[in-house]
Amino acid sequence: MVEQAEKFIRSMLTRYEKQEGFRWGITLKEAPERIVGTIGYHNWQKEHSRIEIGYELAPEYWRQGLMTEAMKVVVNYGFHLPQVHRIEAFIDPDNEGSRRLLLKSGFTKEGHLRDYFYEKGQFVDAVIFGYLREEHPVNR
């Protein structure tokens, strides 16, 4: 588990140094030293003005509004970057929590991609969501 976390942190640092993405830790207000999840951007395609958002949260903190609050701040930040016209997210088709979070956060479901990712020795589907700069309330 520690090795996996260290690998993840190294990957995020490399993306940050190359200006390909960035990640923030999600903490509790009452325990800011404890990271309970992360949220951020990766796969920044500057030539296409799009960036992909990703997030995870420890299951014991699901359905408490933490990710909704974090998503609002991070999406707002993304649309303040001059090179970002589109934010996109890919989720597991069976992940209802992520689907609700993205829709509540202003994203639009755009399609179901069959066998889109290769994970753990098999192809898996993904659902893609997108959010355009002009759809964001700050930019209307």
Side-chain angles (χ1 to χ4, degrees), residues 51-88:
I51 198 165
E52 184 180 338
I53 196 167
Y55 47 87
E56 57 277 319
L57 189 65
E60 60 267 30
Y61 298 100
W62 291 357
R63 294 178 188 85
Q64 296 178 28
L66 292 171
M67 193 58 76
T68 300
E69 184 179 348
M71 180 71 79
K72 182 177 180 181
V73 172
V74 172
V75 165
N76 190 47
Y77 179 86
F79 282 131
H80 278 86
L81 296 170
Q83 310 94 323
V84 174
H85 171 75
R86 172 187 169 82
I87 300 172
E88 51 193 26

Side-chain angles (χ1 to χ4, degrees), residues 8 23-28 34-40 54-62 66-67 70:
F8 179 76
R23 202 88 170 175
W24 294 274
I26 299 171
T27 64
L28 303 174
R34 181 154 190 244
I35 295 176
V36 298
T38 72
I39 186 168
Y55 47 87
E56 57 277 319
L57 189 65
E60 60 267 30
Y61 298 100
W62 291 357
L66 292 171
M67 193 58 76

Side-chain angles (χ1 to χ4, degrees), residues 91-130:
I91 67 165
D92 179 316
D94 296 326
N95 190 332
E96 285 301 318
S98 270
R99 179 185 312 271
R100 283 191 306 272
L101 171 69
L102 291 168
L103 292 172
K104 182 176 10 175
S105 299
F107 286 78
T108 299
K109 178 185 173 190
E110 296 178 333
H112 186 115
L113 307 168
R114 299 176 303 139
D115 286 355
Y116 193 73
F117 292 111
Y118 190 76
E119 296 176 349
K120 299 176 184 170
Q122 66 181 7
F123 288 98
V124 295
D125 292 1
V127 176
I128 184 171
F129 287 78

Side-chain angles (χ1 to χ4, degrees), residues 19-22 42-46 50-51 81 83-84:
Q19 294 186 341
E20 295 173 348
F22 27 90
H42 54 277
N43 295 334
W44 195 351
Q45 303 292 318
K46 291 179 184 173
R50 71 175 181 249
I51 198 165
L81 296 170
Q83 310 94 323
V84 174

